[in-house]
Amino acid sequence: HVQQRKGETWRDLPIPNAKARDPLLRIASDGSVFLSWWEIVESASAIIVARWTGDGWQRLPVAASRTNGPSP
């Protein structure tokens, strides 16, 4: 569950994938917001990273190793 403050209210930001596991939110010193999680892709686990653009999440190309099995 991720929210963004707009004026006096909070609004929900959709998570890019409903099957995302163990999401981790990071905020860089310049205010950029990143979300990482792992998911099962083709019977292997993969780490996914996305950056919040202000309108939605943009997946970033990340060189992450994939492992066989359900968890990283």
Side-chain angles (χ1 to χ4, degrees), residues 47-72:
I47 296 173
I48 312 295
V49 178
R51 180 177 59 89
W52 180 250
T53 65
D55 295 317
W57 294 104
Q58 175 187 30
R59 282 190 181 204
L60 301 177
V62 175
S65 59
R66 298 172 115 195
T67 60
N68 291 332
S71 62

Side-chain angles (χ1 to χ4, degrees), residues 6-42:
K6 287 275 192 169
E8 296 296 317
T9 61
W10 289 91
R11 70 178 182 126
D12 285 336
L13 302 181
I15 300 294
N17 183 339
K19 295 180 180 179
R21 297 183 183 191
D22 300 328
L24 177 65
L25 186 72
R26 295 283 186 166
I27 302 172
S29 60
D30 68 358
S32 299
V33 178
F34 296 89
L35 182 67
S36 63
W37 67 94
W38 71 273
E39 62 185 53
I40 303 297
V41 178
E42 299 173 5

